Amino acid sequence: MKFINYAMAAVAATCLAMAGPISAQTATTNTIEAIVAAPQGDNVAVKIDLKEALAAPPAGFSVANPAKIAFDFPSTANGLGKNSLTFKEGDLQSANVVQVGGRTRVVLNLVRSLNYTTRIEGKSLYIVLAPIPAVGSLAERVTRFTEETSIGKRHALQDVAFRRGKDGEARIVVDLNDAGTGIDIRQQGKNLVVDFIKTSVPENLRRKLDVTDFGTPVTSVETRPLGENVRMTITPSGLWEHNAYQSDNQFVVEVKRIIEDPNKLVQGTKTGYQGPRVSINYQNGDVRALLRLMAEELGLNAVISETVTGTTTLVLKDVPADQVIDIIFQQKGLDMRKKGNIIMIAPRDEIATREKLEFESRQQISDLEPILAEQFALNYQKAVDVARLLSGVAVAGGAPSQRLLSKRGNAVADPQSNILFVNDIPSKLEEIRKFIRAIDTGARQVMIEARVVEAQDTFNRDLGVRLNFLSANRTGLGGSGIYGGGGTYSPAGQVTNNAVGVNLPSFTNVGGTLAFSLFNASLTRILNLELAALETDGLGKIVSSPRVITANNVKAKIQDGTEIPYVTTATGGGVATQNVSFKTAALSLEATPQITPEGTIRMQLVVKKEEPDWTRAVLGNPPIKTATVETNVVVENGGTVVIGGVYITKKENVTEKVPLLGDIPFFGYLFKYQNDTGQRRELLFFITPRIISDKLQIN
């Protein structure tokens, strides 16, 4: 039995994929001519010779698993004549040199994660790889993701965003003001800690994001200053793994959930074999001894059944150790099951028989296990609805759900005390206890304040000019200018940025369009003062200012109007009878708020204006004129969104003339007077949502 190489294979394509896309460039002004490596005590020095001297060190990034460090050389060609180099100097195993377009990436494949420093001497770039000093326990050692390259420049975080990937992974995206920010990343206990070295963070990003509702392994992300650094604490749950990469000024951390597979030796979401590579020349040797050696190589705790017998012959070169075990399993009809950090290896038929007996035993235990009773006092959910959910009965006309109770269990609800009584086996009671704990939570509440303003045609221009002076920043919205009152937006649009200025509807726009703007929380107070001043000047009149409180994701409706009587006559048996029915004509606003993890509020708004048109009444019954606007907007907590588009137009044509003389063509204009008057009004809705704190109390 002989083991030769345990070096990790260098997979340049994987590292390139993790580091993000490489933009193709057509022109190259420099060339990599040679790469050499030599040990320097505990460190390893790598020298990269180029055709021309570099103006600054290239951007670099590191990957923790597998351990790699990569450098990007823009406008540089690969002049080595090959794409891979083998060093085997200390922890440096090999290097891959990949050219895409006019950019070349050098990937250093390592045995373990290392720190690195760079310096330029003449036409050469020196990279010194140094071991990472141990800090605390093994699980809390720091990995230097990137060294600080822009020394003396002020580093800052510009934005922190949370996204859910297509495979359910958590993706934390951090925008930096420059690519030379130093970053440390490490696992600290159950958390993942990222330190941005010598970096500042603005006040609006110093927050804790509750991202539990996204359904990813991450439950919260907290960003706060720590001395002259910024610390981001990512809190996952369950079994997880992380991956980090940087592309220009954007740093991304991905946290993926690991679903433990009892048939895999190495757990993780990465495909393929991941064990250390070995070379074997094993002639007619004992299978049990070979499996024991492979388990030692992988660092596994293995229990090998006595029924595993026989011999095997293997001649393999540079093959992952877990693939070697898989080959032996296929040859000898073996299988494995993993429980915690212990694996059991036995013939496949033996494992299947044992699992069948265990399953039948559990079934018999559940059939014979005593029934226990437990009561749950619910705070927010209705006990009747929860009882139906546990029994798999449809709630409120919905589709039937999967039954959570066992076949012997039952649930009874008392509507008066809102207590749920459950009878079931102990294992099911534990599942039901977790289920109720998860759903019996109070919903966050939002107070929506709506100010309905009736504006004249000069109101929007006057208010827009006043508030435009508050900021010199101009923000585009839907392709239209947001200042000057000329921007429009189609119904059911979505807005995700808060503008400082105002874009009130302009009366020169075509009817049927919707114009709106967003005010942040600091400008809402100024907006209130402006509305009060304009109402005093007679340019606008506040029709109503209702307020309503609703729960998160629950629709709230504000309505103000009247009921119009409709009289209909019915004739029967020679006798005419009159029936009176009523139809509502009202001004209504429907808002469905949704609190996002970032603390903003997404609102689905429906504005409806109904009024009778008495000028077109039929038999004394007026038709109802209806104007409806629907849209989705995202507003800052305490900010204001302005919605317009409901127009009221009134025109009058008055002609005064001298009889007969005023009807003479052309000359008649000398004997008559025409007066055309028009009045145009618009209803504007200023909507301000505010999240009500859970700690709010009324004394």
Side-chain angles (χ1 to χ4, degrees):
M1 180 73 186
K2 182 173 63 175
F3 292 89
I4 301 176
N5 292 325
Y6 300 157
M8 294 291 292
V11 187
T14 303
C15 194
L16 288 171
M18 288 186 289
I22 301 178
S23 59
Q25 301 179 7
T26 56
T28 57
T29 59
N30 207 345
T31 304
I32 296 177
E33 296 181 341
I35 301 178
V36 295
Q40 290 184 351
D42 294 335
N43 303 338
V44 178
V46 181
K47 179 184 177 185
I48 302 178
D49 296 328
L50 296 102
K51 183 178 179 182
E52 302 292 339
L54 296 174
F61 65 92
S62 61
V63 179
N65 188 18
K68 297 176 185 295
I69 299 176
F71 298 90
D72 282 342
F73 294 82
S75 303
T76 304
N78 178 13
L80 301 177
K82 52 186 176 180
N83 294 330
S84 62
L85 300 170
T86 302
F87 297 115
K88 296 185 180 179
E89 297 289 351
D91 291 326
L92 175 63
Q93 292 296 304
S94 61
N96 294 93
V97 184
V98 182
Q99 179 179 350
V100 179
R103 176 181 296 187
T104 297
R105 173 165 293 174
V106 177
V107 182
L108 304 179
N109 302 297
L110 310 175
V111 174
R112 57 174 177 164
S113 297
L114 300 175
N115 287 335
Y116 69 90
T117 57
T118 58
R119 73 176 189 273
I120 299 175
E121 292 186 5
K123 297 182 180 180
S124 300
L125 172 68
Y126 286 87
I127 304 171
V128 179
L129 306 176
I132 299 174
V135 180
S137 63
L138 186 63
E140 297 181 357
R141 294 185 179 179
V142 178
T143 299
R144 176 58 53 88
F145 182 80
T146 53
E147 292 284 351
E148 184 183 10
T149 57
S150 301
I151 306 297
K153 186 175 181 180
R154 184 176 177 84
H155 309 298
L157 269 62
Q158 293 183 333
D159 191 20
V160 177
F162 184 89
R163 300 170 186 168
R164 186 180 191 274
K166 63 179 181 179
D167 296 326
E169 71 274 12
R171 184 172 295 141
I172 299 94
V173 182
V174 182
D175 291 334
L176 309 169
N177 67 336
D178 67 281
T181 306
I183 303 174
D184 286 343
I185 184 170
R186 68 182 183 275
Q187 182 177 345
Q188 189 176 62
K190 296 182 179 181
N191 299 332
L192 185 64
V193 177
V194 183
D195 287 334
F196 299 89
I197 310 302
K198 296 180 181 179
T199 305
S200 61
V201 56
E203 189 68 31
N204 63 312
L205 297 181
R206 301 178 184 181
R207 59 192 178 185
K208 183 176 182 179
L209 302 178
D210 184 0
V211 295
T212 307
D213 294 341
F214 279 83
T216 68
V218 176
T219 58
S220 65
V221 179
E222 183 180 8
T223 307
R224 59 185 177 90
L226 186 65
E228 61 178 3
N229 303 334
V230 175
R231 171 163 294 183
M232 175 181 291
T233 304
I234 304 170
T235 305
S237 61
L239 192 62
W240 54 274
E241 63 182 1
H242 77 277
N243 180 35
Y245 58 87
Q246 182 174 349
S247 177
D248 295 330
N249 293 359
Q250 194 173 76
F251 172 71
V252 181
V253 179
E254 289 185 351
V255 181
K256 302 179 181 179
R257 190 182 306 279
I258 296 179
I259 301 176
E260 189 170 2
D261 188 353
N263 297 321
K264 288 182 63 177
L265 290 170
V266 182
Q267 300 297 322
T269 58
K270 298 176 182 178
T271 58
Y273 298 102
Q274 307 169 41
R277 293 184 175 268
V278 297
S279 296
I280 298 176
N281 187 354
Y282 197 67
Q283 300 292 333
N284 199 24
D286 183 54
V287 172
R288 289 174 55 84
L290 181 57
L291 288 173
R292 179 178 58 81
L293 292 173
M294 289 294 99
E296 292 178 357
E297 184 64 25
L298 289 171
L300 300 174
N301 298 320
V303 177
I304 304 175
S305 174
E306 295 293 336
T307 55
V308 177
T309 57
T311 59
T312 184
T313 299
L314 294 176
V315 180
L316 303 173
K317 184 177 180 180
D318 200 23
V319 178
D322 48 344
Q323 186 178 8
V324 175
I325 294 181
D326 195 16
I327 293 172
I328 299 173
F329 284 178
Q330 294 178 10
Q331 280 186 341
K332 299 299 181 180
L334 304 177
D335 206 345
M336 57 162 285
R337 291 296 180 267
K338 193 170 188 292
K339 292 184 179 180
N341 61 345
I342 300 177
I343 64 171
M344 186 191 70
I345 301 175
R348 190 173 292 111
D349 295 339
E350 180 181 336
I351 291 179
T353 302
R354 184 181 290 110
E355 289 181 343
K356 181 180 179 181
L357 293 175
E358 290 179 357
F359 179 75
E360 292 176 350
S361 176
R362 287 197 299 268
Q363 286 292 105
Q364 293 176 0
I365 291 175
S366 63
D367 292 339
L368 300 175
E369 200 172 1
I371 297 294
L372 300 180
E374 189 169 346
Q375 62 182 22
F376 301 91
L378 303 181
N379 297 315
Y380 303 98
Q381 300 291 339
K382 293 183 179 180
V384 176
D385 294 339
V386 177
R388 292 176 179 175
L389 283 175
L390 297 178
S391 303
V393 180
V395 178
S401 59
Q402 184 178 358
R403 180 181 172 91
L404 298 180
L405 297 168
S406 68
K407 60 182 180 180
R408 299 167 58 200
N410 63 81
V412 179
D414 180 21
Q416 184 174 0
S417 61
N418 203 36
I419 295 179
L420 180 67
F421 300 90
V422 179
N423 298 319
D424 214 327
I425 59 178
S427 58
K428 280 295 181 180
L429 284 176
E430 179 62 26
E431 295 180 11
I432 293 170
R433 198 176 297 113
K434 293 180 180 179
F435 174 76
I436 293 178
R437 190 184 307 120
I439 66 172
D440 191 29
T441 57
R444 303 179 68 182
Q445 299 188 77
V446 179
M447 182 180 71
I448 301 175
E449 180 181 1
R451 281 152 292 179
V452 184
V453 179
E454 185 178 295
Q456 298 178 5
D457 55 358
T458 57
F459 172 82
N460 63 335
R461 292 195 296 270
D462 188 70
L463 183 61
V465 169
R466 294 192 189 193
L467 292 178
N468 266 343
F469 288 106
L470 294 176
S471 174
N473 298 326
R474 291 176 176 262
T475 306
L477 181 60
S480 304
I482 195 167
Y483 288 87
T488 61
Y489 200 80
S490 60
Q494 293 187 0
V495 181
T496 58
N497 58 332
N498 289 340
V500 178
V502 59
N503 179 22
L504 294 181
S506 173
F507 288 98
T508 59
N509 295 329
V510 181
T513 61
L514 167 67
F516 58 85
S517 68
L518 298 176
F519 300 87
N520 58 21
S522 61
L523 288 181
T524 300
R525 181 178 302 176
I526 299 176
L527 173 65
N528 291 331
L529 297 176
E530 292 291 344
L531 288 178
L534 289 170
E535 184 180 13
T536 304
D537 294 340
L539 299 177
K541 181 178 67 175
I542 297 180
V543 178
S544 61
S545 182
R547 296 181 181 181
V548 65
I549 296 179
T550 183
N552 187 27
N553 287 320
V554 177
K555 181 171 65 176
K557 184 174 182 179
I558 303 172
Q559 181 171 308
D560 183 17
T562 184
E563 291 188 343
I564 308 300
Y566 284 81
V567 180
T568 57
T569 303
T571 304
V575 179
T577 58
Q578 291 184 337
N579 299 320
V580 180
S581 60
F582 293 88
K583 187 174 182 180
T584 302
L587 175 66
S588 64
L589 169 66
E590 294 182 2
T592 306
Q594 177 186 354
I595 303 174
T596 66
E598 296 181 352
T600 58
I601 302 173
R602 179 187 296 273
M603 289 191 299
Q604 181 179 357
L605 301 174
V606 179
V607 179
K608 185 178 293 186
K609 174 72 168 61
E610 297 175 331
E611 62 178 353
D613 187 1
W614 295 101
T615 60
R616 300 180 181 180
V618 179
L619 299 177
N621 298 327
I624 302 297
K625 295 191 299 183
T626 303
T628 304
V629 172
E630 295 186 12
T631 184
N632 285 311
V633 294
V634 177
V635 191
E636 179 186 348
N637 181 24
T640 300
V641 58
V642 187
I643 300 178
V646 182
Y647 297 103
I648 302 173
T649 305
K650 181 180 179 181
K651 292 183 179 181
E652 292 182 358
N653 297 323
V654 178
T655 302
E656 297 179 0
K657 63 182 178 178
V658 178
L660 298 179
L661 295 179
D663 296 331
I664 300 175
F666 300 105
F667 294 100
Y669 287 100
L670 300 176
F671 303 96
K672 64 181 178 181
Y673 168 76
Q674 290 183 344
N675 183 17
D676 295 337
T677 60
Q679 183 182 8
R680 217 167 188 186
R681 295 177 298 157
E682 181 178 4
L683 285 179
L684 300 175
F685 296 83
F686 293 78
I687 302 171
T688 304
R690 291 184 176 88
I691 300 174
I692 298 179
S693 174
D694 297 336
K695 299 180 181 180
L696 183 63
Q697 295 180 355
I698 300 177
N699 296 325

